[in-house]
Amino acid sequence: MAIIHQPGLFAWDQVEAASDMDRLQVLLEALPDEELMRTLEDERKGRRDDYPIRAMWNSLLAGFVFQHNGIESLRRELARNGQLRQWCGFDVLRGAKAVPPEWVYTRFQTKLLRHWKEVERIFDALLERLMEVLPDLGVRLAVDSKAIQSHANSPRKDAPPQNQKPDGRRDRDADWGTKQYKGIHKDGTPWEKTKRWFGYKLHLIVDAHYELPLGYLVTKASANDSPYLLPLVEELDSRHPQLVARSQYLSADKGYDSHANNKDLFEEYAIRPIVDIRATWKEEPDRPRPLYPERVDTIFHTEQGELLCRCRDGAPKERDNYEAMAYEGFEADRQTLKYRCPAKARGIACTQQDCCNQGNQPQHGRIVRVPLDTDRRVFTPLPRDSKSWAREYKHRTAIERVNSRIDGAFGFERHYIRGLKKMRARAGLALLVMLGMALGWIEAGRHENLRSLVGRPRAV
């Protein structure tokens, strides 16, 4: 067989390290962090400077790029990677002795928490710059939450507080969260899955096209999803009103389904809610209900917002008596959904014309207007039963990919963080790195790498 001359033992390690260094260079050149650096340096002025502020900041960011889930892992990388120490700004002549001990990183992170407003300004500046280079950023939004499990000692969920012994390794800010998943198998049988975890929730609002974070909140795991949708949009509007002004759609799963969310999204921000609906009809859930329950009429609707006309009678199955009405569009001035008689629109034989409008059917067929206020959960500006709604809802999967990157690329699957403030800071830095790398690739003329956060995971 042909003999292949192998390169050096550490060739692939060098290739991967070079790839990570490229990403780090792109990130550091894109971040507008000079104001934060000067603030921290002024605070240290006149004191020992064995570990420079800028080098500490750069190395902390490098931890995300090199996929380290803790400070000790990052320190080992710095100790063996002279090129990384040089890029971060540590004294190259000191070699591995230039690597800060763990307690130095702890104190530096405490300083960052005291100056978190300056860190948030970096996040905002990155978004403003991205809005300039990506004119359609924010047109389609997506909202979701992700579970962040705490790997500190957790109390038993069923144990009362008085029976829970003090434990210094326990995360006192975290609590238990539960999330249920339901669906239907291919054979028609229902399935249900319950996930429980001890820790936190990261509530995210992202751009559904570019898969970039636009805002976030961190809460305890027990927090419900629905109440945080509007605060995320309100916070984004207060800091980046131009971004919200260009938004047209917001997609979310049924955990965010509520009258208030659908109503305020459209009326306050002119954003069409694409929010899946929860099944709340307990009695005969599959049977259509009258649109006008106060009178006898042929118009019915389903909980999924499908408008039906009972235009036929005598079918073996009751469902066959109904025909979907023809959608004619949304009337913004009236805040109504306009529908037309399906018999006239599609040439269907109708046996109920005498019952419709007392037999006075116009030539073009009966017109039915459904005000959104009839039921904000069921009736939305973009009808739930339309192909457009289904197409827009597919964009929601973008936030699932963002959540996956947060877990896999930024080490949230296995972390050593305890405390709500520290978790907020860790999440904020991870999302800041995500924005900074996206902007860096764009400014480097490499748009195809916009979502390229890390290379292949490397052993530590």
Side-chain angles (χ1 to χ4, degrees):
M1 70 183 219
I3 298 176
I4 301 176
H5 295 282
Q6 297 290 344
L9 179 62
F10 298 103
W12 273 112
D13 183 67
Q14 294 167 2
V15 169
E16 291 175 0
S19 178
D20 286 336
M21 291 304 302
D22 289 342
R23 292 181 175 88
L24 180 60
Q25 179 182 1
V26 164
L27 171 64
L28 297 182
E29 291 178 353
L31 287 184
D33 53 7
E34 185 63 27
E35 182 179 349
L36 173 64
M37 295 298 98
R38 290 181 179 178
T39 299
L40 295 177
E41 287 172 341
D42 290 343
E43 190 179 78
R44 181 183 281 191
K45 195 171 183 180
R47 303 178 185 178
R48 292 183 60 177
D49 195 26
D50 296 337
Y51 307 105
I53 291 291
R54 294 172 188 260
M56 293 292 298
W57 169 250
N58 290 342
S59 65
L60 202 61
L61 299 176
F64 290 99
V65 178
F66 281 72
Q67 296 179 265
H68 296 293
N69 58 358
I71 294 301
E72 280 304 311
S73 174
L74 170 62
R75 292 183 63 250
R76 289 195 296 271
E77 177 80 34
L78 287 168
R80 68 169 178 261
N81 192 334
Q83 186 184 17
L84 178 59
R85 293 197 302 272
Q86 181 179 3
W87 263 102
C88 290
F90 292 111
D91 188 350
V92 294
L93 298 180
R94 294 181 61 192
K97 294 181 179 179
V99 179
E102 186 177 8
W103 65 267
V104 174
Y105 277 102
T106 301
R107 293 183 62 179
F108 182 73
Q109 290 173 326
T110 303
K111 287 183 180 180
L112 282 182
L113 287 175
R114 291 202 304 266
H115 296 277
W116 194 248
K117 291 295 183 183
E118 284 86 350
V119 179
E120 289 181 338
R121 279 196 278 271
I122 297 176
F123 188 95
D124 291 337
L126 288 171
L127 264 187
E128 292 292 330
R129 179 66 183 131
L130 283 166
M131 288 169 57
E132 295 175 4
V133 297
L134 300 174
D136 57 342
L137 182 73
V139 171
R140 287 180 171 84
L141 306 176
V143 170
D144 200 1
S145 68
K146 75 170 275 62
I148 301 179
Q149 184 171 353
S150 176
H151 293 277
N153 288 353
S154 58
R156 286 177 52 196
K157 185 174 176 61
D158 55 349
Q162 61 269 22
N163 293 343
Q164 296 176 8
K165 298 179 180 180
D167 187 345
R169 294 171 297 174
R170 180 171 297 166
D171 192 337
R172 296 291 176 179
D173 291 340
D175 67 1
W176 286 97
T178 303
K179 194 165 186 178
Q180 290 186 334
Y181 303 88
K182 296 180 180 180
I184 303 295
H185 290 294
K186 292 182 178 180
D187 60 2
T189 58
W191 62 267
E192 183 175 335
K193 177 182 176 183
T194 300
K195 177 182 179 180
R196 292 176 59 243
W197 75 97
F198 180 78
Y200 302 94
K201 260 187 184 181
L202 173 62
H203 305 265
L204 268 177
I205 181 168
V206 308
D207 177 272
H209 176 66
Y210 294 105
E211 301 176 9
L212 293 175
L214 305 178
Y216 68 98
L217 291 168
V218 180
T219 64
K220 294 183 177 183
S222 60
N224 291 329
D225 291 347
S226 183
Y228 289 96
L229 186 147
L230 291 175
L232 283 169
V233 178
E234 290 168 2
E235 179 71 9
L236 186 61
D237 184 53
S238 66
R239 298 168 75 162
H240 306 281
Q242 293 181 345
L243 185 65
V244 175
R246 67 172 69 165
S247 300
Q248 297 180 17
Y249 305 96
L250 185 147
S251 54
D253 63 24
K254 61 184 66 177
Y256 296 89
D257 172 35
S258 77
H259 176 97
N261 285 344
N262 288 351
K263 179 180 174 67
D264 291 350
L265 269 178
F266 189 65
E267 292 189 353
E268 298 294 330
Y269 305 103
I271 299 176
R272 295 173 177 83
I274 312 296
V275 183
D276 198 7
I277 191 169
R278 292 175 289 113
T280 59
W281 289 7
K282 302 302 181 184
E283 298 181 1
E284 300 180 307
D286 297 329
R287 186 175 186 178
R289 296 186 178 182
L291 181 65
Y292 308 108
E294 71 281 358
R295 68 173 189 256
V296 176
D297 205 333
T298 61
I299 308 302
F300 293 75
H301 73 90
T302 65
E303 191 174 17
Q304 288 71 38
E306 184 181 17
L307 203 67
L308 305 170
C309 179
R310 189 182 177 105
C311 59
R312 293 185 293 267
D313 247 340
K317 296 182 179 180
E318 183 183 2
R319 178 72 187 188
D320 295 336
N321 292 323
Y322 300 97
E323 184 68 31
M325 297 198 70
Y327 179 59
E328 295 285 303
F330 175 68
E331 298 176 317
D333 54 337
R334 296 183 178 183
Q335 296 287 288
T336 59
L337 299 169
K338 183 180 178 181
Y339 292 87
R340 182 184 170 204
C341 170
K344 297 292 185 180
R346 306 188 188 100
I348 298 171
C350 177
T351 63
Q352 303 296 307
Q353 292 189 16
D354 293 341
C355 302
C356 190
N357 280 4
Q358 297 179 350
N360 298 321
Q361 184 76 280
Q363 186 175 1
H364 57 75
R366 180 182 177 183
I367 296 296
V368 176
R369 289 182 171 88
V370 183
L372 297 182
D373 283 335
T374 302
D375 191 329
R376 287 281 182 168
R377 292 182 57 249
V378 175
F379 299 107
T380 57
L382 198 63
R384 292 183 176 279
D385 63 327
S386 65
K387 293 181 179 179
S388 297
W389 194 97
R391 183 169 57 249
E392 289 298 331
Y393 188 69
K394 289 180 180 179
H395 291 287
R396 192 195 66 83
T397 58
I399 199 166
E400 296 176 356
R401 290 187 287 274
V402 174
N403 286 338
S404 176
R405 294 186 188 108
I406 291 173
D407 270 344
F410 293 137
F412 280 81
E413 285 183 332
R414 184 73 184 178
H415 62 83
Y416 306 98
I417 305 167
R418 289 196 287 269
L420 186 58
K421 289 184 178 180
K422 292 181 180 179
M423 182 57 70
R424 286 172 179 165
R426 174 76 179 183
L429 287 176
L431 300 176
L432 183 146
V433 168
M434 195 177 294
L435 288 182
M437 294 185 70
L439 178 61
W441 288 126
I442 292 173
E443 291 182 338
R446 298 169 65 178
H447 289 67
E448 70 280 2
N449 291 343
L450 190 145
R451 302 182 183 92
S452 178
L453 303 179
V454 292
R456 291 192 300 168
R458 302 192 303 126
V460 176

